[in-house]
Amino acid sequence: MAKEAFDKIMGGLHEVQAYMDGERKGFAVHEPLDIKAIRARAEMSQAKFARTYRLPLGTLKDWEQGRRQPDAPARALLTIIERNPGAAAEALAEA
């Protein structure tokens, strides 16, 4: 049982090394978002940011404090907010 687990872990590490060496494609690597900085540029408190962009306040706090990372749809929303916070807020207000 331990040997099987070890072999799976080593296989995964070999896949990562192959990716890092450019021999394998297919992994999506995302730089961490600085959610606190995005919120600061929007000049909003945590509560207002969460309310404006329809995010659970606890989730926003977890992201800012590094306890959790946003999933792909949340990353997309945060990228839109980062690039055009007014348009994002307007679109969500209309929905």
Side-chain angles (χ1 to χ4, degrees):
M1 187 67 112
K3 171 89 169 99
E4 290 173 18
F6 177 80
D7 289 342
K8 285 183 180 182
I9 292 169
M10 288 306 296
L13 290 174
H14 289 300
E15 287 180 13
V16 169
Q17 186 62 55
Y19 173 77
M20 298 296 290
D21 292 341
E23 299 167 5
R24 184 167 194 264
K25 302 209 183 303
F27 290 100
V29 179
H30 300 286
E31 294 296 320
L33 292 173
D34 188 346
I35 292 109
K36 190 172 185 176
I38 293 169
R39 181 177 58 79
R41 281 192 296 278
E43 298 179 345
M44 293 183 188
S45 67
Q46 286 179 328
K48 184 174 181 183
F49 189 89
R51 195 172 44 253
T52 300
Y53 298 112
R54 300 185 182 186
L55 299 166
L57 181 57
T59 299
L60 176 62
K61 289 179 179 183
D62 284 345
W63 292 342
E64 287 192 5
Q65 295 173 8
R67 289 189 295 260
R68 293 184 53 211
Q69 289 295 313
D71 61 11
R75 287 182 65 86
L77 175 60
L78 290 164
T79 299
I80 292 166
I81 294 167
E82 182 176 33
R83 293 182 183 167
N84 196 335
E90 183 180 326
L92 289 170
E94 295 173 2

Coordinates of all heavy atoms in Angstrom, one line a residue:
M1 N 0.8 -1.2 0.0 CA 0.0 0.0 0.0 C 0.9 1.3 0.0 O 0.6 2.2 -0.8 CB -0.9 0.0 1.2 CG -1.9 1.1 1.2 SD -3.1 1.0 -0.1 CE -4.6 0.6 0.9
A2 N 1.9 1.3 0.9 CA 2.7 2.5 0.9 C 3.5 2.6 -0.3 O 3.8 3.7 -0.8 CB 3.7 2.4 2.1
K3 N 3.9 1.5 -0.9 CA 4.7 1.5 -2.2 C 3.9 2.1 -3.3 O 4.4 2.9 -4.1 CB 5.2 0.1 -2.5 CG 5.8 -0.1 -3.9 CD 7.3 0.2 -3.9 CE 7.9 -0.3 -5.1 NZ 8.2 0.8 -6.0
E4 N 2.6 1.8 -3.4 CA 1.7 2.3 -4.4 C 1.6 3.8 -4.3 O 1.6 4.6 -5.2 CB 0.3 1.6 -4.3 CG 0.3 0.2 -4.8 CD -1.0 -0.5 -4.5 OE1 -2.0 0.3 -4.3 OE2 -1.1 -1.7 -4.5
A5 N 1.4 4.3 -3.0 CA 1.2 5.7 -2.8 C 2.5 6.4 -3.2 O 2.5 7.5 -3.8 CB 0.9 6.0 -1.3
F6 N 3.7 5.9 -2.8 CA 5.0 6.5 -3.1 C 5.1 6.5 -4.7 O 5.5 7.6 -5.2 CB 6.1 5.6 -2.5 CG 7.5 6.1 -2.9 CD1 8.0 7.2 -2.3 CD2 8.2 5.5 -3.9 CE1 9.3 7.7 -2.6 CE2 9.4 6.0 -4.3 CZ 10.0 7.1 -3.6
D7 N 4.8 5.5 -5.4 CA 4.9 5.4 -6.8 C 4.0 6.5 -7.5 O 4.4 7.2 -8.4 CB 4.5 4.1 -7.4 CG 5.6 3.0 -7.0 OD1 6.7 3.4 -6.7 OD2 5.3 1.8 -7.1
K8 N 2.8 6.7 -7.0 CA 1.9 7.7 -7.5 C 2.5 9.1 -7.3 O 2.5 10.0 -8.2 CB 0.5 7.6 -6.9 CG -0.3 6.5 -7.4 CD -1.7 6.5 -6.8 CE -2.5 5.4 -7.3 NZ -3.9 5.4 -6.8
I9 N 3.0 9.3 -6.1 CA 3.6 10.6 -5.8 C 4.8 10.9 -6.7 O 5.0 12.0 -7.3 CB 4.0 10.7 -4.3 CG1 2.8 10.7 -3.4 CG2 4.9 12.0 -4.0 CD1 3.0 10.6 -1.9
M10 N 5.7 9.9 -6.8 CA 6.8 10.1 -7.7 C 6.4 10.3 -9.1 O 7.0 11.1 -9.8 CB 7.8 8.8 -7.6 CG 8.5 8.8 -6.2 SD 9.4 10.3 -5.8 CE 10.6 10.3 -7.2
G11 N 5.4 9.6 -9.6 CA 4.9 9.8 -10.9 C 4.4 11.2 -11.2 O 4.7 11.8 -12.2
G12 N 3.7 11.8 -10.2 CA 3.3 13.1 -10.2 C 4.5 14.1 -10.3 O 4.5 15.1 -11.0
L13 N 5.5 13.8 -9.5 CA 6.7 14.7 -9.5 C 7.4 14.6 -10.8 O 7.9 15.6 -11.3 CB 7.6 14.3 -8.3 CG 7.1 14.6 -6.9 CD1 8.0 14.0 -5.9 CD2 6.9 16.1 -6.7
H14 N 7.4 13.5 -11.4 CA 8.1 13.3 -12.7 C 7.3 14.1 -13.8 O 7.9 14.7 -14.7 CB 8.2 11.9 -13.1 CG 9.2 11.1 -12.3 ND1 10.6 11.5 -12.3 CD2 9.1 10.0 -11.5 CE1 11.2 10.6 -11.5 NE2 10.4 9.7 -11.0
E15 N 6.0 14.1 -13.7 CA 5.1 14.9 -14.6 C 5.4 16.4 -14.4 O 5.5 17.1 -15.4 CB 3.7 14.6 -14.4 CG 3.2 13.2 -14.9 CD 1.7 13.0 -14.6 OE1 1.0 14.0 -14.3 OE2 1.3 11.9 -14.7
V16 N 5.5 16.8 -13.2 CA 5.8 18.2 -13.0 C 7.2 18.6 -13.5 O 7.4 19.6 -14.2 CB 5.7 18.6 -11.4 CG1 6.3 19.9 -11.1 CG2 4.3 18.4 -11.0
Q17 N 8.2 17.7 -13.3 CA 9.5 18.0 -13.8 C 9.5 18.1 -15.3 O 10.1 18.9 -15.9 CB 10.5 17.0 -13.3 CG 11.9 17.3 -13.7 CD 12.4 18.6 -13.1 OE1 12.4 18.7 -11.9 NE2 12.9 19.5 -13.9
A18 N 8.8 17.2 -16.0 CA 8.7 17.2 -17.4 C 8.0 18.5 -17.9 O 8.5 19.1 -18.9 CB 7.9 16.0 -17.9
Y19 N 7.0 18.9 -17.2 CA 6.4 20.2 -17.5 C 7.4 21.4 -17.4 O 7.5 22.2 -18.3 CB 5.1 20.4 -16.7 CG 4.5 21.8 -16.9 CD1 3.8 22.1 -18.0 CD2 4.8 22.8 -15.9 CE1 3.2 23.3 -18.2 CE2 4.2 24.1 -16.1 CZ 3.5 24.3 -17.3 OH 3.0 25.6 -17.5
M20 N 8.1 21.4 -16.3 CA 9.0 22.5 -16.0 C 10.2 22.5 -17.0 O 10.7 23.5 -17.4 CB 9.6 22.3 -14.6 CG 8.6 22.4 -13.5 SD 7.8 24.0 -13.4 CE 9.2 25.0 -12.8
D21 N 10.5 21.3 -17.6 CA 11.6 21.2 -18.6 C 11.0 21.5 -20.0 O 11.8 21.4 -20.9 CB 12.2 19.8 -18.5 CG 13.0 19.5 -17.3 OD1 13.4 20.5 -16.6 OD2 13.2 18.3 -16.9
G22 N 9.7 21.7 -20.1 CA 9.1 22.0 -21.4 C 8.8 20.8 -22.2 O 8.5 20.9 -23.4
E23 N 8.9 19.6 -21.6 CA 8.6 18.4 -22.3 C 7.2 18.0 -22.3 O 6.8 17.1 -23.0 CB 9.5 17.2 -21.7 CG 11.0 17.5 -21.8 CD 11.7 16.5 -20.9 OE1 11.1 15.6 -20.3 OE2 13.0 16.7 -20.8
R24 N 6.4 18.6 -21.5 CA 5.0 18.2 -21.3 C 4.1 19.5 -21.2 O 4.5 20.5 -20.6 CB 4.8 17.4 -20.0 CG 3.4 16.9 -19.9 CD 3.3 15.9 -18.8 NE 2.0 15.2 -18.8 CZ 1.0 15.5 -18.1 NH1 1.0 16.5 -17.2 NH2 -0.2 14.8 -18.2
K25 N 3.0 19.4 -21.8 CA 2.1 20.6 -21.8 C 0.8 20.1 -21.1 O 0.6 18.9 -20.9 CB 1.7 21.0 -23.2 CG 2.9 21.5 -24.0 CD 2.6 22.5 -25.0 CE 3.7 22.9 -25.9 NZ 4.9 23.4 -25.2
G26 N 0.0 21.0 -20.7 CA -1.3 20.6 -20.1 C -1.6 21.1 -18.7 O -2.6 20.9 -18.2
F27 N -0.6 21.6 -18.1 CA -0.8 22.1 -16.7 C -1.1 23.6 -16.8 O -0.4 24.4 -17.5 CB 0.4 21.9 -15.8 CG 0.7 20.5 -15.5 CD1 1.7 19.8 -16.2 CD2 0.0 19.9 -14.5 CE1 1.9 18.5 -15.9 CE2 0.3 18.6 -14.1 CZ 1.2 17.9 -14.8
A28 N -2.1 24.1 -16.1 CA -2.3 25.5 -16.0 C -1.7 26.0 -14.7 O -2.0 25.5 -13.6 CB -3.8 25.7 -16.0
V29 N -0.8 26.9 -14.8 CA -0.1 27.5 -13.7 C -0.6 29.0 -13.5 O -0.5 29.7 -14.5 CB 1.4 27.5 -13.8 CG1 2.1 28.1 -12.6 CG2 1.9 26.1 -14.0
H30 N -1.2 29.3 -12.4 CA -1.7 30.6 -12.1 C -0.9 31.3 -11.1 O -0.6 30.8 -10.0 CB -3.2 30.5 -11.7 CG -4.1 29.9 -12.6 ND1 -4.5 30.5 -13.8 CD2 -4.6 28.7 -12.6 CE1 -5.3 29.7 -14.5 NE2 -5.4 28.6 -13.8
E31 N -0.5 32.5 -11.4 CA 0.1 33.4 -10.4 C -1.0 33.7 -9.4 O -2.1 34.0 -9.7 CB 0.7 34.6 -11.0 CG 1.8 34.4 -12.0 CD 3.0 33.7 -11.3 OE1 3.4 34.2 -10.2 OE2 3.6 32.8 -11.9
P32 N -0.6 33.8 -8.1 CA -1.6 34.2 -7.1 C -2.0 35.7 -7.4 O -1.3 36.5 -7.8 CB -0.8 34.1 -5.8 CG 0.5 33.6 -6.1 CD 0.7 33.5 -7.6
L33 N -3.3 35.9 -7.2 CA -3.9 37.2 -7.3 C -3.7 38.0 -6.0 O -3.9 37.4 -4.9 CB -5.4 37.2 -7.7 CG -5.7 36.6 -9.1 CD1 -7.2 36.5 -9.2 CD2 -5.2 37.6 -10.1
D34 N -3.4 39.2 -6.1 CA -3.4 40.1 -4.9 C -4.7 40.7 -4.7 O -5.0 41.8 -5.1 CB -2.3 41.1 -5.0 CG -2.0 41.8 -3.7 OD1 -2.9 41.8 -2.7 OD2 -1.0 42.5 -3.6
I35 N -5.7 40.0 -4.1 CA -7.0 40.4 -4.0 C -7.1 41.7 -3.2 O -7.9 42.6 -3.5 CB -7.9 39.3 -3.5 CG1 -8.0 38.2 -4.5 CG2 -9.3 39.8 -3.2 CD1 -7.3 36.9 -4.2
K36 N -6.3 41.8 -2.1 CA -6.4 43.0 -1.3 C -6.0 44.2 -2.1 O -6.6 45.3 -2.0 CB -5.4 42.8 -0.1 CG -5.6 43.9 0.9 CD -4.7 43.5 2.2 CE -5.0 44.6 3.3 NZ -4.3 44.2 4.5
A37 N -5.0 44.1 -3.0 CA -4.6 45.2 -3.8 C -5.7 45.5 -4.8 O -5.9 46.7 -5.1 CB -3.3 44.9 -4.5
I38 N -6.4 44.5 -5.4 CA -7.5 44.8 -6.3 C -8.5 45.6 -5.6 O -9.1 46.6 -6.1 CB -8.0 43.5 -6.9 CG1 -7.0 42.8 -7.7 CG2 -9.3 43.7 -7.6 CD1 -7.3 41.3 -8.1
R39 N -8.9 45.2 -4.4 CA -9.9 45.9 -3.6 C -9.4 47.3 -3.2 O -10.2 48.2 -3.3 CB -10.2 45.1 -2.3 CG -11.3 45.7 -1.5 CD -11.6 44.9 -0.2 NE -10.5 44.6 0.6 CZ -10.0 45.4 1.5 NH1 -10.5 46.7 1.6 NH2 -9.0 45.1 2.3
A40 N -8.2 47.4 -2.9 CA -7.6 48.8 -2.5 C -7.7 49.7 -3.7 O -8.1 50.9 -3.6 CB -6.2 48.6 -2.0
R41 N -7.4 49.2 -4.9 CA -7.5 50.1 -6.1 C -9.0 50.5 -6.4 O -9.2 51.5 -6.9 CB -6.9 49.4 -7.3 CG -5.4 49.4 -7.3 CD -4.8 49.0 -8.7 NE -5.1 47.6 -9.0 CZ -4.4 46.6 -8.6 NH1 -3.3 46.7 -7.8 NH2 -4.7 45.4 -9.0
A42 N -9.9 49.6 -6.0 CA -11.3 50.0 -6.2 C -11.8 50.9 -5.0 O -12.9 51.4 -5.1 CB -12.2 48.7 -6.2
E43 N -10.9 51.1 -4.1 CA -11.2 52.0 -2.9 C -12.5 51.6 -2.2 O -13.4 52.4 -2.0 CB -11.3 53.5 -3.4 CG -10.0 54.0 -4.0 CD -10.0 55.4 -4.5 OE1 -11.1 56.0 -4.6 OE2 -8.9 56.0 -4.7
M44 N -12.5 50.3 -1.8 CA -13.7 49.8 -1.1 C -13.3 49.1 0.1 O -12.2 48.4 0.1 CB -14.5 48.9 -2.0 CG -15.1 49.5 -3.2 SD -16.1 48.2 -4.1 CE -16.6 49.1 -5.5
S45 N -14.1 49.1 1.1 CA -13.9 48.2 2.3 C -14.2 46.8 1.9 O -14.8 46.5 0.8 CB -14.9 48.6 3.4 OG -16.2 48.3 3.0
Q46 N -13.8 45.9 2.7 CA -14.1 44.5 2.4 C -15.6 44.3 2.2 O -16.1 43.6 1.3 CB -13.6 43.5 3.5 CG -12.1 43.4 3.5 CD -11.6 42.5 4.6 OE1 -12.2 42.4 5.7 NE2 -10.5 41.7 4.3
A47 N -16.4 44.8 3.2 CA -17.8 44.6 3.1 C -18.4 45.2 1.8 O -19.3 44.6 1.2 CB -18.5 45.3 4.3
K48 N -18.0 46.4 1.5 CA -18.6 47.0 0.2 C -18.1 46.3 -1.0 O -18.9 46.1 -1.9 CB -18.1 48.5 0.1 CG -18.7 49.2 -1.1 CD -18.4 50.7 -1.1 CE -19.1 51.3 -2.3 NZ -18.8 52.7 -2.4
F49 N -16.9 45.8 -1.1 CA -16.4 45.1 -2.2 C -17.2 43.8 -2.3 O -17.6 43.4 -3.4 CB -14.9 44.8 -2.0 CG -14.2 44.2 -3.2 CD1 -13.6 45.0 -4.1 CD2 -14.1 42.8 -3.3 CE1 -12.9 44.5 -5.2 CE2 -13.4 42.3 -4.4 CZ -12.8 43.1 -5.4
A50 N -17.4 43.1 -1.2 CA -18.1 41.8 -1.3 C -19.5 42.1 -1.7 O -20.1 41.3 -2.6 CB -18.1 41.2 0.1
R51 N -20.2 43.1 -1.2 CA -21.6 43.4 -1.6 C -21.7 43.8 -3.0 O -22.5 43.3 -3.8 CB -22.1 44.5 -0.7 CG -23.5 44.7 -0.6 CD -24.0 45.7 0.5 NE -23.2 46.9 0.6 CZ -22.3 47.2 1.6 NH1 -22.1 46.3 2.5 NH2 -21.6 48.3 1.6
T52 N -20.8 44.7 -3.5 CA -20.8 45.2 -4.9 C -20.6 44.1 -5.9 O -21.3 44.0 -6.9 CB -19.7 46.2 -5.0 OG1 -19.9 47.3 -4.1 CG2 -19.7 46.8 -6.5
Y53 N -19.7 43.2 -5.6 CA -19.4 42.1 -6.6 C -20.0 40.8 -6.2 O -19.6 39.7 -6.8 CB -17.8 42.0 -6.7 CG -17.3 43.3 -7.3 CD1 -16.5 44.1 -6.5 CD2 -17.6 43.8 -8.6 CE1 -16.0 45.3 -7.0 CE2 -17.1 45.0 -9.0 CZ -16.3 45.8 -8.2 OH -15.9 46.9 -8.7
R54 N -20.9 40.8 -5.3 CA -21.7 39.6 -4.9 C -20.8 38.4 -4.5 O -21.0 37.3 -4.9 CB -22.6 39.2 -6.1 CG -23.6 40.2 -6.4 CD -24.5 39.8 -7.5 NE -25.4 40.8 -7.9 CZ -26.5 40.6 -8.7 NH1 -26.7 39.5 -9.2 NH2 -27.2 41.6 -9.0
L55 N -19.9 38.7 -3.6 CA -19.0 37.7 -3.0 C -19.3 37.5 -1.6 O -19.6 38.5 -0.9 CB -17.5 38.2 -3.2 CG -17.0 38.4 -4.6 CD1 -15.7 39.2 -4.6 CD2 -16.8 37.1 -5.3
P56 N -19.2 36.3 -1.1 CA -19.4 36.1 0.4 C -18.2 36.8 1.1 O -17.1 36.7 0.7 CB -19.3 34.6 0.6 CG -19.6 34.1 -0.8 CD -19.1 35.0 -1.8
L57 N -18.6 37.6 2.1 CA -17.5 38.4 2.9 C -16.5 37.4 3.4 O -15.3 37.7 3.4 CB -18.2 39.2 3.9 CG -17.3 40.1 4.8 CD1 -16.4 41.0 3.9 CD2 -18.1 40.9 5.8
G58 N -16.9 36.3 4.0 CA -15.9 35.4 4.6 C -15.0 34.8 3.5 O -13.8 34.6 3.8
T59 N -15.5 34.6 2.3 CA -14.6 34.1 1.2 C -13.6 35.2 0.9 O -12.4 34.9 0.7 CB -15.5 33.7 0.0 OG1 -16.4 32.7 0.4 CG2 -14.6 33.3 -1.2
L60 N -14.0 36.4 0.7 CA -13.1 37.5 0.4 C -12.0 37.6 1.5 O -10.8 37.7 1.2 CB -13.9 38.8 0.3 CG -13.0 40.1 0.1 CD1 -12.3 40.0 -1.2 CD2 -13.9 41.3 0.2
K61 N -12.4 37.5 2.8 CA -11.4 37.6 3.8 C -10.4 36.4 3.7 O -9.2 36.6 3.9 CB -12.1 37.6 5.2 CG -12.8 38.9 5.5 CD -13.5 38.8 6.8 CE -14.2 40.2 7.1 NZ -14.9 40.1 8.5
D62 N -11.0 35.2 3.4 CA -10.1 34.0 3.3 C -9.1 34.2 2.2 O -7.9 33.9 2.3 CB -10.9 32.8 3.1 CG -11.6 32.2 4.3 OD1 -11.2 32.7 5.4 OD2 -12.5 31.4 4.1
W63 N -9.5 34.8 1.1 CA -8.6 35.1 -0.1 C -7.6 36.1 0.3 O -6.4 35.8 0.1 CB -9.4 35.6 -1.3 CG -10.3 34.7 -1.9 CD1 -10.3 33.3 -1.9 CD2 -11.4 35.0 -2.8 NE1 -11.3 32.8 -2.6 CE2 -12.0 33.8 -3.2 CE3 -11.9 36.2 -3.3 CZ2 -13.1 33.8 -4.1 CZ3 -12.9 36.2 -4.2 CH2 -13.5 35.0 -4.6
E64 N -8.0 37.1 1.0 CA -7.0 38.2 1.3 C -6.0 37.7 2.3 O -4.9 38.2 2.3 CB -7.8 39.4 1.8 CG -8.5 40.2 0.7 CD -9.0 41.6 1.2 OE1 -8.7 42.0 2.3 OE2 -9.6 42.2 0.3
Q65 N -6.4 36.8 3.2 CA -5.5 36.4 4.3 C -4.8 35.1 3.9 O -4.0 34.5 4.6 CB -6.3 36.2 5.5 CG -6.8 37.5 6.1 CD -7.7 37.3 7.3 OE1 -7.9 36.3 7.8 NE2 -8.4 38.4 7.7
G66 N -4.9 34.7 2.6 CA -4.2 33.5 2.1 C -4.7 32.2 2.6 O -4.0 31.2 2.4
R67 N -5.8 32.1 3.2 CA -6.3 30.8 3.7 C -6.9 30.0 2.5 O -6.9 28.8 2.6 CB -7.4 31.0 4.8 CG -6.8 31.5 6.1 CD -7.8 31.5 7.2 NE -8.9 32.4 7.0 CZ -9.0 33.6 7.5 NH1 -8.1 34.0 8.3 NH2 -10.1 34.4 7.2
R68 N -7.4 30.7 1.5 CA -7.9 30.0 0.3 C -7.5 30.8 -0.9 O -7.2 31.9 -0.8 CB -9.5 29.9 0.4 CG -10.0 29.1 1.5 CD -11.5 28.9 1.6 NE -12.0 28.5 0.3 CZ -13.2 28.9 -0.1 NH1 -14.0 29.7 0.6 NH2 -13.7 28.5 -1.3
Q69 N -7.6 30.1 -2.1 CA -7.4 30.7 -3.3 C -8.6 30.7 -4.2 O -9.4 29.7 -4.1 CB -6.2 30.0 -4.1 CG -4.9 30.2 -3.5 CD -4.4 31.6 -3.6 OE1 -4.5 32.3 -4.6 NE2 -3.9 32.1 -2.4
P70 N -8.9 31.7 -4.9 CA -10.1 31.7 -5.8 C -10.1 30.6 -6.8 O -9.0 30.3 -7.4 CB -10.1 33.1 -6.4 CG -8.9 33.8 -5.9 CD -8.2 32.9 -5.1
D71 N -11.2 30.0 -7.1 CA -11.3 29.0 -8.2 C -11.3 29.7 -9.5 O -11.3 31.0 -9.6 CB -12.5 28.1 -8.0 CG -13.8 28.8 -8.0 OD1 -13.9 30.0 -8.3 OD2 -14.9 28.2 -7.7
A72 N -11.4 29.0 -10.6 CA -11.3 29.6 -12.0 C -12.4 30.7 -12.2 O -12.1 31.8 -12.7 CB -11.3 28.5 -13.0
P73 N -13.7 30.4 -11.9 CA -14.7 31.5 -12.2 C -14.4 32.7 -11.3 O -14.6 33.8 -11.8 CB -16.0 30.8 -11.8 CG -15.8 29.3 -11.9 CD -14.3 29.2 -11.5
A74 N -14.0 32.5 -10.1 CA -13.7 33.7 -9.2 C -12.5 34.4 -9.7 O -12.5 35.7 -9.7 CB -13.5 33.2 -7.8
R75 N -11.5 33.7 -10.2 CA -10.3 34.4 -10.8 C -10.7 35.2 -12.0 O -10.2 36.3 -12.2 CB -9.3 33.4 -11.2 CG -8.5 32.7 -10.1 CD -7.5 31.8 -10.6 NE -6.4 32.5 -11.3 CZ -5.4 33.0 -10.8 NH1 -5.2 33.0 -9.5 NH2 -4.5 33.7 -11.5
A76 N -11.6 34.7 -12.8 CA -12.1 35.4 -14.0 C -12.8 36.7 -13.5 O -12.5 37.8 -14.1 CB -13.0 34.6 -14.8
L77 N -13.7 36.6 -12.6 CA -14.4 37.8 -12.0 C -13.4 38.8 -11.5 O -13.5 40.0 -11.8 CB -15.4 37.4 -11.0 CG -16.1 38.6 -10.3 CD1 -16.9 39.5 -11.3 CD2 -17.1 38.1 -9.2
L78 N -12.4 38.3 -10.7 CA -11.5 39.2 -10.1 C -10.6 39.9 -11.1 O -10.2 41.1 -11.0 CB -10.6 38.5 -9.1 CG -11.4 38.1 -7.8 CD1 -10.6 37.0 -7.1 CD2 -11.6 39.3 -6.9
T79 N -10.3 39.2 -12.2 CA -9.5 39.8 -13.3 C -10.3 40.9 -14.0 O -9.8 42.0 -14.3 CB -9.1 38.7 -14.3 OG1 -8.3 37.8 -13.7 CG2 -8.3 39.3 -15.5
I80 N -11.6 40.7 -14.2 CA -12.5 41.7 -14.7 C -12.6 42.9 -13.8 O -12.4 44.1 -14.3 CB -13.9 41.1 -15.0 CG1 -13.8 40.1 -16.2 CG2 -14.9 42.3 -15.4 CD1 -15.0 39.3 -16.3
I81 N -12.7 42.7 -12.5 CA -12.8 43.7 -11.5 C -11.5 44.5 -11.6 O -11.5 45.8 -11.5 CB -13.1 43.2 -10.1 CG1 -14.5 42.6 -10.1 CG2 -12.9 44.3 -9.1 CD1 -14.7 41.8 -8.8
E82 N -10.4 43.8 -11.6 CA -9.0 44.5 -11.6 C -8.9 45.4 -12.9 O -8.4 46.5 -12.8 CB -7.9 43.4 -11.6 CG -6.5 44.0 -11.6 CD -5.5 42.9 -11.5 OE1 -5.7 41.8 -12.0 OE2 -4.5 43.2 -10.9
R83 N -9.4 44.9 -14.0 CA -9.2 45.7 -15.2 C -10.2 46.8 -15.4 O -9.9 47.9 -16.0 CB -9.2 44.8 -16.4 CG -8.0 43.9 -16.4 CD -8.0 43.0 -17.6 NE -6.9 42.1 -17.5 CZ -6.7 41.0 -18.3 NH1 -7.6 40.7 -19.2 NH2 -5.6 40.3 -18.1
N84 N -11.5 46.6 -14.9 CA -12.5 47.6 -15.1 C -13.6 47.4 -14.0 O -14.6 46.9 -14.2 CB -13.2 47.5 -16.5 CG -13.9 48.7 -16.8 OD1 -14.4 49.4 -16.0 ND2 -14.1 48.9 -18.1
P85 N -13.2 47.9 -12.8 CA -14.1 47.7 -11.6 C -15.5 48.3 -11.8 O -16.5 47.8 -11.4 CB -13.4 48.3 -10.4 CG -12.4 49.2 -11.0 CD -12.0 48.7 -12.4
G86 N -15.6 49.5 -12.5 CA -16.8 50.1 -12.7 C -17.8 49.3 -13.6 O -19.0 49.2 -13.3
A87 N -17.2 48.8 -14.7 CA -18.0 48.0 -15.6 C -18.5 46.7 -14.9 O -19.7 46.3 -15.1 CB -17.2 47.7 -16.9
A88 N -17.7 46.1 -14.1 CA -18.0 44.9 -13.4 C -19.2 45.2 -12.4 O -20.2 44.5 -12.4 CB -16.8 44.3 -12.7
A89 N -19.1 46.3 -11.7 CA -20.1 46.6 -10.7 C -21.4 47.0 -11.4 O -22.5 46.6 -11.0 CB -19.6 47.8 -9.9
E90 N -21.3 47.7 -12.6 CA -22.5 48.0 -13.3 C -23.2 46.8 -13.9 O -24.4 46.7 -13.8 CB -22.1 49.0 -14.5 CG -23.3 49.5 -15.3 CD -22.9 50.4 -16.4 OE1 -21.9 51.1 -16.2 OE2 -23.5 50.3 -17.5
A91 N -22.4 45.9 -14.4 CA -23.0 44.6 -15.0 C -23.7 43.8 -13.9 O -24.8 43.3 -14.1 CB -21.9 43.8 -15.7
L92 N -23.1 43.7 -12.7 CA -23.7 43.0 -11.6 C -24.9 43.7 -11.0 O -25.8 43.0 -10.6 CB -22.6 42.7 -10.6 CG -21.6 41.6 -11.0 CD1 -20.5 41.6 -10.0 CD2 -22.2 40.3 -11.2
A93 N -24.9 45.0 -11.1 CA -26.0 45.7 -10.5 C -27.3 45.5 -11.4 O -28.4 45.5 -10.9 CB -25.7 47.2 -10.4
E94 N -27.1 45.3 -12.7 CA -28.2 45.1 -13.6 C -28.7 43.7 -13.6 O -29.9 43.5 -14.0 CB -27.7 45.5 -15.1 CG -27.4 46.9 -15.3 CD -26.7 47.2 -16.6 OE1 -26.6 46.2 -17.4 OE2 -26.3 48.3 -16.9
A95 N -27.9 42.8 -13.1 CA -28.4 41.4 -13.1 C -29.4 41.1 -12.1 O -29.5 41.7 -11.1 CB -27.1 40.5 -13.0

